[in-house]
Structure formats: structure tokens, C-alpha cells
Amino acid sequence: MTEIISVIGGKGGTGKTLVAVNLAYMLSRDYRTLLVDVDVDNPCAMSFFKARQLWEKKVLEFRPRINQDLCKLCGTCVRNCPEHALVMIPGKQVILVEELCAGCGVCRLVCPFDAIEESWIEGGVIRGYETEDGVDLVVGELQPTCRRSPVMILKTLNVVEGFMRKYGYIIMDAPPGADAGIYSIMDRSEIILAVTEPTPLGLMDLRKVYRLYQKFFHGKKRFLVIVNKYGLPGGSDHETRRFLDENGIAWTTIPYDDLVVRSYISGELIIKAHPNSEAANSLRRVIELLGKKI
Amino acid sequence: MEIVVASGKGGTGKTFLASNLAILINERLDGAVAADADVEAPDLVLAMGGEKKLLRSREIWESMKASIDYKLCNRCLKCVDVCMFDAIRLVDGEPRIIEEFCEGCGACAHVCPANAISFRRTRTGRIYSVETVAGVKTTTGDLEIGGRNTGDLVYLVREEAKEIARGDHVKNIVIDSAPGIGCPVISSLSGADLLIIVVEPTSQSLKGAKRLLKVAESFKMKVTYVANKFDLNEDFLKTIDSELGLECVGKIPYDSEVPSSYSMMKPIAIHGMDTRAGKALKEVFENLRSWIT
């Protein structure tokens, strides 16, 4: 039985990757574990492992190529393009504004003269790795200048679905935010682990991902919270705690600790490099929060 | 002039820099309007001391979503094959629209031989402008939870901020971008004049900055960077400098007064210019003058 745990956060920089990589490492001691980095805009989980690449899969995005010999300048594609990415230069030609194109392919479908040929650009790449720590890793990475992060996330999730059954646990390291991409990650998970920080900004964004959970997944999935940087000087521990308790959300903390910051900078797994630290203990409490034994 | 504060990686201090820069430019240069383009997690107003007065607010219903009339659908499944966004799935022999993934592009309707697919408008989100306690008028976009069309919403946020700036005869707009390099970020950069990348001294943040720089290169804009929390890992600053190849307009140390300033909703630019972070901020502002004017 495979269990999928997604680590989300709303706000950026709350410690999603910190939790995801250490959690994956802990679970991999007893279970076959796959870590999926779906922060496709800036995937960083790799920096915590010595990894060897096993495979690579390119994600292609459609782009129209206009065959000028066949084009009659009728303007049908220009009118139907939902992104207004096709522009008519009257009497001359139709041109594509590459940055606006979403790759939907409508232009090709509506062209009455079959003047639009398909071409494909690399929208991103998905890579599979094995690591020296025993955690397997899949990384989805958006090609800079491509825009469709939610599509890239979905493609990565679809690839993982093909072989996820062989794992006991799958940990998904999500991007910040609360859009359709986060929805699709939550949709595939059994447990949603939201990492927040005790600041008004962190709390505001936690509320937002909690609303996302309530709107679509309430009663269907578990929603748990980790308050990272707990005890941050000048932070708002109290307000965060009150929100969590008022909503009956189970939570735990990771203390504000220089060691966590230093481990992050040097790309080490805190649970492995400093197993007796308070930070490592608090990460082990995340396992308890999940109701797991290792 | 439109100034974008962005970062590639999340949590590097975009909102910190954007809010305080907007306040300083507003008070000490020729005025500023701020725009929160992080429509999935908009925090800029909070960072500027909160809302003093709501100026305007409107709902945006621009997201088109496909829906299937199953009385007409002949189960040919052409729509499933044509959708580039995996938004139509086969469930029990029937095509099923997954609304959260639907881009509303219309490809499915074009191939449907039974005319069974129509479109309806759904909520994209909300755009509102407030006067903040810090005195800077700020336009914010708030995306519908689980929504798409972040780029469209960012575009509208920028348009509204420009409108306010024109009305007030203010020259500068400070845009607080979303993290990452995707749709909302590209929409923040397109047509803007200056990009300030906020970098932390970590390899993860540098990676994000480099990816962002690659995106910015496709636009004609000036680019500089600020090293935030630089004293956490000072040795790394040289690496950042050589790998980005950009002029640095300032280094801000880690200072616990920064999270305090959020919790108490007292922006550093107003209440903490004598703190370490405040002094560094002033330097960034002074260095930026020549870029802005």
C-alpha cells in the first residue's frame, strides 16, 4: 500500500523542502521511499542528496508553425487564439508572439487551409535519480521562459503515477502558493502537511491553503501543520497556535534554530548530520504527528 | 517606472524589500504606488502596516471553463485526446472535465462533432486597492483558491496600479512578484523597467536567481540584485556575484527586527531605520536612486 504525503506551504521559504527531505530520509530507513520535487519553478531537493540520474523524460509543449505558402490570411486562427498570441500583419502574414502562446493547439484545429503545422518546444524535463541515502528522487523542472507551472506539475505527477506502487511512501515537495498546481498535488495525496512560520504573513498564507483544503478535500484527506521557526524572536507563535487550535488542526513545531539554517546552507540532512539535536528531535515528532512508527 | 522585486526561490525577502522600498520611494523620491503580484499569497498590505482605507474592489470573472452536455455527447472521446492540459479524463467511458486544469482554450469544443461542449465564466479572483497605514496606495490581486490564470490577474493588478499612479501623478510602481519563474512572474516582468532580484546566500536561492535571470533576459529591462540575510553565509557572496554577473545594490544582514516588524505591523522603513536591517535598507535605497531616476 502506497501512501502519499504532500508538503505544501502557501508562503515561500517556510521550510517545505527542509521537512520533505528529512521526512523522506527518515521514512526510507524502514520503507521504500520516493521523494518527488514538484517545485518545478525552482526544484532544490536535489541539493540535499548525492544522486545518480537514472532516466530523463522531456515534456513537450505545442507551438504552431505557420506554413506561409498555405496561409490565406483569413484570420480564423487570430480570432480563435485564447491568449491573443497570433497577430495579423494585414496583407503580409500571421506571426506568433511566442511568450503569449499557451500551446493549446486551437489555431491548428480551426485553420480552414491546414496551414498550421505542429512543432514542439521543450517545456520542461522530468528526471529520476537514486541517491546514496536510499531515497529515490524524481524532479520536475520547468524550462525558464516557459510559463505553465501547473501543467509541468501535472505531467510530473502523471509520470510518477506509472511506478508509484512499488513505494511504501511518496513525499511530494510542493511549490509555494495555492493555485491549480497545488490543488493537483493535494488531490493525489492522502496526507497534506502544511509548513508555516509564525509571522502574520505565514499565518495569512496558511489560512489560504487551509481554505483550499476545506473547499475540496475536507473529510477526505488529513491536514496537518508544522510550525517551523517556532519561537522566532518577534514572531507570532500565539496567533498561529490559536488559529490551529480553533480549527482543530493537529500540529507540531520545529524550533527556530541556527543549526537548521546552517544545515540548509550546507545542504545536509539535519536528521543525519545532527541526529541528537533538538531540530532532529522535532523532525522525528513529525513522524509521530503522521501516526507512523519507524 | 515599474520596479519588480522577484526571486526565483520563495521566502528570500521579496515582500520585505518591496514594502520598505515602496515606502522609502514614496516618502523620499517622487512618490510610489505598490502592486502585490503574488496573487496566490498576497501579503504586501500586511507588510505595510495593514489597510487604512479600502479605495476600490472588484471581482474578476474571466476564467472560461468547459462543460459537457451529456445528453448530446456521443462518447467519441476526441476531446480527451485533443486537450493539451490533461483537463479531460476518461471516467467510466465518459469524458469528464477537471475544472481546475481547464484553460478554457476551446480546443475540445472545436473537435466535438456533437456540439456538446459549452463554456461558462468562473471566478478568477478579486482585485482591490487600499491606502495602507504606511501611506502607500497598494493594489492587490487575490486568486480564487485553487485557480489558474495567475498571469491574467497579475496583468489586471498592474493596470489598476498604473491607473492609480496616473491619477495621483506618481511616477513609480513597486511590484512584489510571486516566487518562481512561471506565469505570474513572467506577467510581472513583461514591459516593466527594472528587476531587483532578492538572493539569499544559499545555493538553492542562487539557483532560483539564475533561472529568473534567464527569464528576464528575454525582456528588455535593467536587472540588479540585493543580497538578503547575507551574513548567514558571507563566503557565498563571491559565488553569487560571479555567477549572476550583475551589479549588487546592497547587502542586508539577518536581523530579528524584521520578523518583529511584521508581527507588530510596524514597517522598518518607518519605525526601524536605526536597526541593522534599516541602515542596510537605506543604503539599498540610496544606491537605487540612480537606477530609478
Side-chain angles (χ1 to χ4, degrees):
Chain A
M1 184 59 196
T2 309
E3 190 161 55
I4 305 181
I5 303 168
S6 58
V7 185
I8 63 159
K11 186 179 176 305
T14 56
K16 288 177 295 297
T17 300
L18 165 86
V19 169
V21 295
N22 283 287
L23 187 60
Y25 178 80
M26 284 188 282
L27 290 168
S28 72
R29 302 302 90 195
D30 289 339
Y31 305 93
R32 196 153 182 214
T33 304
L34 174 69
L35 175 63
V36 186
D37 193 343
V38 262
D39 186 356
V40 298
D41 282 24
N42 191 39
C44 289
M46 255 277 277
S47 59
F48 294 88
F49 298 96
K50 280 204 178 66
R52 191 172 72 89
Q53 188 177 317
L54 300 176
W55 51 266
E56 179 179 288
K57 200 173 153 53
K58 288 188 166 54
V59 175
L60 299 176
E61 222 179 278
F62 171 84
R63 286 291 179 273
R65 194 188 297 143
I66 299 156
N67 184 332
Q68 305 296 347
D69 297 336
L70 297 176
C71 176
K72 303 275 189 283
L73 300 176
C74 69
T76 309
C77 59
V78 175
R79 281 193 303 279
N80 280 282
C81 175
E83 304 290 332
H84 311 292
L86 290 165
V87 181
M88 171 77 77
I89 302 178
K92 290 231 170 88
Q93 59 173 333
V94 173
I95 55 166
L96 171 73
V97 184
E98 182 88 34
E99 301 86 65
L100 295 178
C101 179
C104 67
V106 166
C107 48
R108 206 168 76 87
L109 297 171
V110 298
C111 177
F113 306 106
D114 286 330
I116 296 182
E117 293 160 4
E118 56 178 47
S119 68
W120 301 87
I121 60 157
E122 196 181 315
V125 56
I126 304 165
R127 296 187 180 97
Y129 302 87
E130 61 179 8
T131 71
E132 281 182 8
D133 292 297
V135 178
D136 285 350
L137 181 63
V138 169
V139 179
E141 187 161 332
L142 185 75
Q143 184 73 28
T145 71
C146 283
R147 298 189 294 156
R148 302 280 148 178
S149 312
V151 174
M152 192 60 211
I153 289 171
L154 196 62
K155 303 273 186 206
T156 307
L157 296 176
N158 288 345
V159 166
V160 168
E161 200 158 76
F163 53 75
M164 62 180 230
R165 294 284 152 227
K166 60 184 192 188
Y167 292 98
Y169 282 99
I170 295 179
I171 309 296
M172 298 208 275
D173 186 8
D179 71 342
I182 307 297
Y183 165 88
S184 59
I185 294 165
M186 287 166 100
D187 186 40
R188 302 284 170 105
S189 325
E190 275 88 36
I191 301 177
I192 297 153
L193 202 52
V195 185
T196 187
E197 61 181 33
T199 64
L201 285 67
L203 181 55
M204 184 155 170
D205 299 339
L206 175 65
R207 285 176 196 274
K208 197 154 184 182
V209 291
Y210 185 60
R211 284 212 306 278
L212 175 60
Y213 162 76
Q214 279 190 309
K215 183 172 170 187
F216 295 104
F217 307 116
H218 189 75
K220 295 178 204 151
K221 299 170 191 296
R222 292 172 69 199
F223 185 89
L224 307 166
V225 168
I226 299 173
V227 187
N228 186 24
K229 311 179 198 175
Y230 195 72
L232 179 77
S236 31
D237 292 349
H238 178 72
E239 291 78 357
T240 307
R241 227 168 40 216
R242 198 171 59 198
F243 167 76
L244 293 168
D245 290 339
E246 274 172 4
N247 287 283
I249 301 166
W251 55 280
T252 185
T253 60
I254 298 171
Y256 179 71
D257 186 347
D258 267 357
L259 184 66
V260 177
V261 180
R262 286 205 307 276
S263 295
Y264 194 85
I265 286 172
S266 54
E268 42 177 41
L269 293 161
I270 205 159
I271 203 88
K272 188 176 147 194
H274 308 280
N276 300 316
S277 64
E278 181 43 39
N281 288 334
S282 67
L283 283 161
R284 279 188 280 270
R285 283 197 293 274
V286 174
I287 298 279
E288 282 169 40
L289 182 73
L290 294 168
K292 309 295 168 201
K293 285 203 172 63
I294 52 164
Chain B
M1 173 172 220
E2 283 187 290
I3 306 156
V4 188
V5 181
S7 75
K9 184 183 176 301
T12 56
K14 285 179 298 301
T15 303
F16 165 72
L17 188 68
S19 58
N20 287 295
L21 266 186
I23 294 167
L24 291 173
I25 295 172
N26 190 45
E27 288 180 352
R28 303 181 187 198
L29 272 176
D30 35 15
V33 167
D36 194 344
D38 186 359
V39 298
E40 293 177 53
D43 301 326
L44 187 61
V45 169
L46 274 184
M48 289 203 284
E51 175 180 328
K52 193 156 109 196
K53 191 176 145 204
L54 182 67
L55 300 171
R56 48 173 137 167
S57 170
R58 62 193 165 113
E59 297 284 317
I60 310 295
W61 289 71
E62 298 277 321
S63 304
M64 305 303 282
K65 301 281 176 195
S67 66
I68 299 170
D69 183 342
Y70 289 100
K71 287 200 282 295
L72 296 174
C73 171
N74 65 11
R75 276 67 171 170
C76 73
L77 307 180
K78 283 190 174 140
C79 56
V80 177
D81 293 333
V82 81
C83 179
M84 295 278 190
F85 307 108
D86 292 334
I88 312 181
R89 280 186 209 157
L90 182 60
V91 182
D92 303 329
E94 276 182 3
R96 197 75 59 81
I97 310 258
I98 316 293
E99 272 211 351
E100 282 64 38
F101 303 142
C102 177
E103 295 259 342
C105 68
C108 50
H110 287 294
V111 295
C112 178
N115 275 326
I117 299 178
S118 58
F119 288 84
R120 58 188 184 83
R121 270 177 207 284
T122 63
R123 188 177 181 273
T124 312
R126 179 168 83 107
I127 290 179
Y128 60 98
S129 296
V130 307
E131 195 176 320
T132 58
V133 172
V136 181
K137 288 184 185 172
T138 303
T139 304
T140 298
D142 195 355
L143 184 75
E144 172 75 6
I145 283 176
R148 331 177 60 93
N149 309 92
T150 49
D152 298 346
L153 204 55
V154 168
Y155 172 78
L156 294 172
V157 167
R158 282 177 63 188
E159 286 303 304
E160 183 156 317
K162 278 187 221 169
E163 212 179 299
I164 291 173
R166 272 195 301 272
D168 289 359
H169 306 287
V170 162
K171 274 198 202 147
N172 301 302
I173 297 172
V174 179
I175 301 167
D176 185 14
S177 157
I181 58 167
C183 204
V185 179
I186 289 175
S187 196
S188 298
L189 296 177
S190 163
D193 306 285
L194 170 64
L195 165 65
I196 306 172
I197 303 179
V198 186
V199 195
E200 280 173 351
T202 64
S203 64
Q204 297 88 348
S205 177
L206 177 58
K207 179 182 178 185
K210 281 160 73 179
R211 286 165 67 76
L212 177 63
L213 188 56
K214 223 181 260 179
V215 177
E217 277 163 2
S218 62
F219 298 100
K220 287 191 185 79
M221 63 195 311
K222 295 186 275 185
V223 188
T224 180
Y225 81 95
V226 167
N228 193 23
K229 309 175 202 170
F230 79 91
D231 48 347
L232 292 179
N233 187 14
E234 245 181 299
D235 298 344
F236 198 67
L237 293 180
K238 267 197 209 109
T239 313
I240 293 178
D241 215 63
S242 67
E243 294 209 10
L244 288 182
L246 296 171
E247 190 179 321
C248 174
V249 284
K251 298 185 295 187
I252 301 171
Y254 180 78
D255 187 341
S256 62
E257 295 293 333
V258 174
S260 287
S261 76
Y262 287 142
S263 294
M264 288 154 52
M265 289 172 70
K266 291 199 151 102
I268 294 275
I270 297 175
H271 301 277
M273 282 311 270
D274 52 345
T275 61
R276 291 172 70 219
K279 284 176 187 151
L281 204 55
K282 181 157 186 289
E283 218 176 293
V284 171
F285 170 70
E286 293 299 338
N287 289 338
L288 272 173
R289 271 173 184 267
S290 61
W291 293 72
I292 295 172
T293 46

